[in-house]
Amino acid sequence: MGTPDGHDVGTLRPLDALLSETDEVLRRGTPAGARVWPTGFPALDTVLTGGVRSGELVLLGGPAGHGKTTLGVQIARNAVAAGASALVFSYEHESHTLLERLISLEAAEADLGEVAGVIDVRRALETADRGESLESVLSTLRGGARAHAALTSYGDRLQVHESSGTSTTLARIGDAVARVSESTGRAPLVLLDYIQKVPVDRPGEDERVTAAAEGLKDLALSARVPVLAISAADKDALASGHRMRTRDLRGSSALAFEADVVLIVNDKVDVVSREHLLYNLGNIERFREWSVVSIEKNRHGKAHVELEFAKDFEHGRFHPEGQEVSERLIDERVFVS
């Protein structure tokens, strides 16, 4: 299989040839190292030394309903807004559900104050008059016209694949990535929601997840793209007050082994130390408005960093400005009613 720099994966490459090739690439004015896709979250990009890289498998885990898909879709959107391309494999949501989130997200990004939320967008689309255009429907929503213009400008650089747990195999994922790279002229950031849904012909879940992780890592290397794969949690990790860790990802230790970066999302109120809740009860409600993104593995930078981002789930997003968590975090249950 060939790569964009012209060599074949699996061929022997003497060091002197690699030096000459790198020199030629630099003289052409092209970057010789990995290509970097910023996530659009400055604090996260700082820890990741710029963003996610070609050839990387990035795992995004967390308990159900804590914003994994929201964060993943927002990263894909941010890459496209910055001029790159992205391909979203959605095993969980149909494309129109993602579109509603994207419309509200774009409206909120315009910083126009009170703009249409995801529910407002859904209601407007479901009650639109027959024959009315999308542009006309969205123009009735605050921020809707701006959102429509932004999404239209992305063209084919953002593509959604409605994936099936029976037919969207690793081979089909690879074919789709190749088609998008060819049609857009640029390799896409790949978002996959989620890795346990990828159909693999293996007898047990651990074996299936292992094969899926290995296949996605091979794809990232051969296609020279970053693969951001969302991962479900083990049932035992879903209890309130439990801080999810890499070990709680469902299916296999191969996930942690194959991944270059592991990001885990938790609700802040579930993972802060008890003293921050007992002596200031107002913190309980305040912390519920924030999520903690832990960088648990990072092959190209600093790991074991905890960042916090304010939720804006009404508009299908997180506020992009984040910071390191100043409070003490723990693993045990800290739920306080």
Side-chain angles (χ1 to χ4, degrees):
M1 181 180 292
T3 65
D5 61 7
H7 74 270
D8 291 327
V9 173
T11 58
L12 288 172
R13 306 176 73 201
L15 181 57
D16 57 353
L18 181 58
L19 289 169
S20 298
E21 178 186 289
T22 304
D23 181 69
E24 181 182 346
V25 168
L26 290 171
R27 289 176 183 274
R28 288 201 305 261
T30 340
R35 184 182 169 195
V36 180
W37 282 253
T39 68
F41 291 87
L44 180 57
D45 286 332
T46 297
V47 178
L48 298 179
T49 59
V52 294
R53 286 169 166 70
S54 53
E56 282 188 342
L57 174 61
V58 180
L59 286 181
L60 175 56
H66 282 44
K68 302 186 299 296
T69 298
T70 296
L71 182 59
V73 169
Q74 192 170 355
I75 289 173
R77 174 266 170 199
N78 290 347
V80 174
S85 62
L87 171 56
V88 179
F89 291 91
S90 180
Y91 291 85
E92 286 286 280
H93 306 283
E94 62 177 21
S95 55
H96 285 285
T97 300
L98 297 180
L99 178 61
E100 291 164 0
R101 294 188 184 193
L102 286 167
I103 291 169
S104 185
L105 188 162
E106 286 293 344
E109 287 290 319
D111 197 21
L112 299 173
E114 289 295 325
V115 296
V118 176
I119 293 175
D120 300 317
V121 173
R122 183 175 302 133
R123 185 181 297 116
L125 294 177
E126 290 175 351
T127 60
D129 294 333
R130 187 172 182 178
E132 193 174 2
S133 70
L134 176 61
E135 183 176 11
S136 174
V137 171
L138 295 184
S139 67
T140 66
L141 301 174
R142 183 165 176 78
R146 190 267 180 196
H148 182 267
L151 293 174
T152 300
S153 72
Y154 299 157
D156 66 350
R157 290 187 294 112
L158 178 57
Q159 299 201 24
V160 178
H161 185 285
E162 290 188 357
S163 306
S164 162
T166 58
S167 61
T168 308
T169 60
L170 288 166
R172 292 196 174 183
I173 291 169
D175 289 343
V177 171
R179 288 198 305 272
V180 170
S181 298
E182 184 176 355
S183 65
T184 64
R186 64 189 84 196
L189 179 149
V190 176
L191 171 65
L192 188 138
D193 186 11
Y194 57 92
I195 190 169
Q196 284 83 5
K197 285 277 190 177
V198 177
V200 178
D201 187 16
R202 296 288 176 86
E205 183 175 51
D206 280 5
E207 290 76 11
R208 289 194 295 271
V209 174
T210 297
E214 291 172 347
L216 292 173
K217 176 59 180 177
D218 288 345
L219 171 64
L221 289 169
S222 62
R224 298 196 69 184
V225 298
V227 175
L228 177 56
I230 294 172
S231 176
D234 270 330
K235 186 183 299 184
D236 292 343
L238 301 180
S240 178
H242 175 77
R243 181 179 180 183
M244 183 172 168
R245 294 288 200 171
T246 303
R247 61 179 175 269
D248 296 313
L249 298 176
R250 198 178 92 208
S252 174
S253 59
L255 286 176
F257 178 78
E258 292 291 340
D260 300 281
V261 176
V262 179
L263 308 175
I264 303 292
V265 182
N266 286 282
D267 274 354
K268 185 173 181 178
V269 73
D270 284 340
V271 299
V272 294
S273 179
R274 196 175 180 85
E275 67 262 20
H276 300 298
L277 305 176
L278 288 179
Y279 303 114
N280 186 342
L281 296 180
N283 280 342
I284 297 176
E285 290 306 315
R286 185 165 63 87
F287 290 162
R288 282 196 176 112
E289 300 303 315
W290 290 78
S291 290
V292 173
V293 177
S294 302
I295 297 87
E296 301 216 341
K297 182 179 181 181
N298 183 10
R299 280 184 174 156
H300 302 292
K302 188 178 178 183
H304 309 296
V305 177
E306 283 86 28
L307 304 175
E308 60 181 6
F309 298 92
K311 301 174 185 176
D312 183 16
F313 289 177
E314 178 187 357
H315 299 101
R317 68 172 197 150
F318 289 92
H319 289 282
E321 300 79 15
Q323 59 203 9
E324 286 202 45
V325 179
S326 59
E327 294 83 6
R328 188 167 72 92
L329 303 182
I330 61 174
D331 290 337
E332 300 302 320
R333 297 175 185 271
V334 295
F335 181 74
V336 177
S337 58

